């Protein structure tokens, strides 16, 4: 195996082990002084518009600059929220202290390269690249620039998940035995989206493939996954499944069971449960969880169940923008570094391979097979995947 692949494998493990829990962001510096800044949002569709609105709630942001390749969209949102609209990315980058990238997925690599080339700290929606080889190249380029880049895995910014991470890191739960993660869409996505979605593991379950190893703080050794088409044959026509389960085995011996589905008539449901030697804790279990207990005094699903992920993770998305601003200001470590996106994509690829082949899949082998070979003109130059602690 070439040194570039060895570096990728070794440092992928370090990225999973060393990412630490991050406190909820504060709006002021330690001295009590506010550092005002201008933030750009590139791409103001549903997610980008939500980020822009959340940014307007921050005292540390005194100006928003919006850009969207679709004519008129940035102007309409700018008029609604009191922002400035510009006609191209270069203009936006000259006027801001940081930028949120929420353009279509296939544009993310080019957008990231342009933002870091301009020296502008960036928060980019996932995925940052569509396959492992392209992602490795992009990570190398971004890290060489030295510009902070956060990836928008919103569970890392959810207050309850952050607290769960803190308790695990502090040893308050003892030895983790088992993690259970549930992700259920209330309604299937538009069927026209399916061929470009990347499949259920890269699309729906990618968030838990990121969050669960981050919580446990250990690399995943192997995975076993299975799936079925139970909701609509449109998923089969797209070479996908609409219900799936994945079992992850961690280096320390703990396991995680991840389940995901495209239809829950009661509402949107996302929960994570961790069973440890000292206590068991859950996030996502509240009065709006679409789950009914048959016990006499158990919780009942109500009419106010979460309709989708924007409502379920409203606090997470708001805190994500706060944290981004604090990272730009140098007051907080990056809780979602670009390197960690490689770990979740490798796991998604391993799960998809396992589902298709009906067998456990070694995670390191998936990364090794997809990693670029060492350059014949520079065979001693390894790919570095080191993550700052």
């Amino acid at each position: 195996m070439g040194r570039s692949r060895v570096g990728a494998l070794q440092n992928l493990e370090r990225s999973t082990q060393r990412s630490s829990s991050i406190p909820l962001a504060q709006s002021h510096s330690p001295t009590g002084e506010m550092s005002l800044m201008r933030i750009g949002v590139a791409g103001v569709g549903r997610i980008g518009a939500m980020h822009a609105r959340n940014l307007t709630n921050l005292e540390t942001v005194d100006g928003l600059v919006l850009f969207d390749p679709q004519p008129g969209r940035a102007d309409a949102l700018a008029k609604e929220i009191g922002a400035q609209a510009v006609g191209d990315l270069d203009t936006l980058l000259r006027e801001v202290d940081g930028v949120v990238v929420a353009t279509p997925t296939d544009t993310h690599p080019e957008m990231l390269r342009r933002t870091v080339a301009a020296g502008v700290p960036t928060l980019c929606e996932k995925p940052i690249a569509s396959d492992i080889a392209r992602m490795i190249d992009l990570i190398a380029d971004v890290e060489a620039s030295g510009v902070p880049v956060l990836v928008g895995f919103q569970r890392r910014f959810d207050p309850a998940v952050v607290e769960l991470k803190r308790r695990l890191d502090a040893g308050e739960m003892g030895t983790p035995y088992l993690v259970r993660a549930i992700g259920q869409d209330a309604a299937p996505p538009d069927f026209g989206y399916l061929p470009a979605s990347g499949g259920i593991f890269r699309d729906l379950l990618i968030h838990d493939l990121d969050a669960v190893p981050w919580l446990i703080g250990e690399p995943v050794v192997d995975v076993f996954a299975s799936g079925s088409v139970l909701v609509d044959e449109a998923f089969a026509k797209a070479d996908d499944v609409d219900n799936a389960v994945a079992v992850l085995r961690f280096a320390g011996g703990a396991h995680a069971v991840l389940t995901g589905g495209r239809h829950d008539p009661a509402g949107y449901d996302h929960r994570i449960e961790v069973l440890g030697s000292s206590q068991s804790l859950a996030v996502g279990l509240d009065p709006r969880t679409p789950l009914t207990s048959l016990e006499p005094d158990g919780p009942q699903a109500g009419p106010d169940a979460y309709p989708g992920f924007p409502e379920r993770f409203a606090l997470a998305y708001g805190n994500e923008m706060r944290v981004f601003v604090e990272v730009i200001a140098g007051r907080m470590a990056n809780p979602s570094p670009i390197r960690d996106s490689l770990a979740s994509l490798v796991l998604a690829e391993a799960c998809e391979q396992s589902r298709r082949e009906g067998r456990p899949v070694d995670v390191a082998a998936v990364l090794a097979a997809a990693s670029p070979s060492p350059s014949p003109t520079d065979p001693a130059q390894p790919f570095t995947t080191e993550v700052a602690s």
Side-chain angles (χ1 to χ4, degrees):
M1 183 183 298
R3 289 184 62 189
S4 66
R5 295 185 181 181
V6 172
L9 288 169
Q10 292 173 340
N11 289 295
L12 176 60
E13 291 188 357
R14 283 197 286 271
S15 96
T16 305
Q17 292 168 336
R18 296 174 59 192
S19 294
S20 60
S21 59
I22 302 296
L24 300 186
Q26 303 297 318
S27 297
H28 298 79
S29 70
T31 63
E33 298 178 356
M34 288 193 299
S35 300
L36 300 179
M37 59 184 70
R38 288 166 60 82
I39 303 296
V41 180
V44 291
R46 179 172 66 160
I47 296 296
M50 177 185 65
H51 289 322
R53 292 187 178 97
N54 284 334
L55 285 163
T56 65
N57 295 324
L58 301 183
E59 293 179 325
T60 46
V61 175
D62 68 347
L64 286 179
V65 183
L66 311 180
F67 161 71
D68 193 284
Q70 181 174 316
R73 188 150 68 174
D75 295 280
L77 181 62
K79 183 177 180 180
E80 175 190 336
I81 65 175
Q84 174 190 356
V86 296
D88 61 84
L89 181 65
D90 290 335
T91 301
L92 181 149
L93 293 176
R94 287 194 297 268
E95 299 191 13
V96 299
D97 302 291
V99 60
V100 177
V101 173
T103 50
T105 296
D106 60 358
T107 68
H108 289 177
E110 177 192 356
M111 295 289 285
L112 268 177
R113 286 188 168 96
R114 291 177 67 183
T115 63
V116 299
V120 179
T122 305
L123 187 149
C124 184
E125 280 297 323
K126 65 87 183 170
I128 61 166
S130 59
D131 62 62
I132 295 171
R134 288 187 178 90
M135 186 173 287
I136 288 175
D137 288 342
L138 181 59
I139 291 170
D141 291 344
V142 168
E143 292 185 340
S145 76
V147 177
V149 172
L150 291 71
V151 181
F153 283 111
Q154 88 276 37
R155 285 154 175 65
R156 294 189 181 215
F157 304 90
D158 183 76
V161 178
V162 170
E163 175 60 15
L164 179 60
K165 173 67 172 170
R166 186 198 68 77
R167 295 192 187 196
L168 281 162
D169 286 351
E172 295 177 18
M173 299 191 67
T175 300
Y177 293 152
L178 177 68
V179 182
R180 290 193 290 254
I182 298 169
Q184 294 287 139
D185 285 336
D190 185 284
F191 293 146
Y193 165 73
L194 297 180
S197 71
I200 196 167
F201 297 107
R202 299 182 191 92
D203 183 49
L204 176 66
L205 284 167
I206 191 71
H207 287 282
D208 289 324
L209 291 170
D210 172 73
V212 171
W214 174 67
L215 286 168
I216 296 301
E218 295 178 2
V220 177
V221 177
D222 53 44
V223 305
F224 178 77
S226 182
S228 301
V229 175
L230 302 173
V231 175
D232 196 288
E233 282 300 312
F235 290 91
K237 293 178 181 178
D239 196 25
D240 195 9
V241 295
D242 51 44
N243 279 268
V245 60
V247 178
L248 316 183
R249 182 170 67 91
F250 290 93
H255 287 78
V257 180
L258 280 54
T259 63
R262 293 297 198 176
H263 181 224
D264 184 338
Y268 179 87
D269 189 4
H270 179 265
R271 288 169 277 143
I272 298 176
E273 303 169 356
V274 180
L275 286 67
S277 61
S278 298
Q279 57 180 313
S280 297
L281 297 173
V283 298
L285 190 60
D286 62 40
R288 298 188 69 185
T289 302
L291 183 69
T292 295
S293 171
L294 296 180
E295 301 297 338
D297 298 323
Q300 305 291 307
D304 195 31
Y306 294 110
F309 68 87
E311 296 81 11
R312 164 65 181 85
F313 290 104
L315 290 176
Y317 283 119
N319 196 54
E320 184 177 18
M321 293 301 102
R322 293 185 185 93
V323 169
F324 179 41
V325 170
E326 293 297 299
V327 171
I328 295 172
R331 294 189 291 263
M332 184 174 288
N334 184 349
S336 189
I338 191 171
R339 177 67 43 83
D340 289 10
S341 292
L342 178 62
S344 56
L345 181 60
V346 170
L347 288 175
E349 296 282 359
C351 287
E352 183 64 24
Q353 181 178 335
S354 176
R355 177 185 76 82
R356 292 180 181 277
E357 298 178 2
R359 64 175 181 86
V361 169
D362 180 81
V363 174
V366 172
L367 176 61
S371 298
S373 298
S375 168
T377 60
D378 189 15
Q381 181 65 36
F383 169 67
T384 303
T385 57
E386 186 70 22
V387 172
S389 57

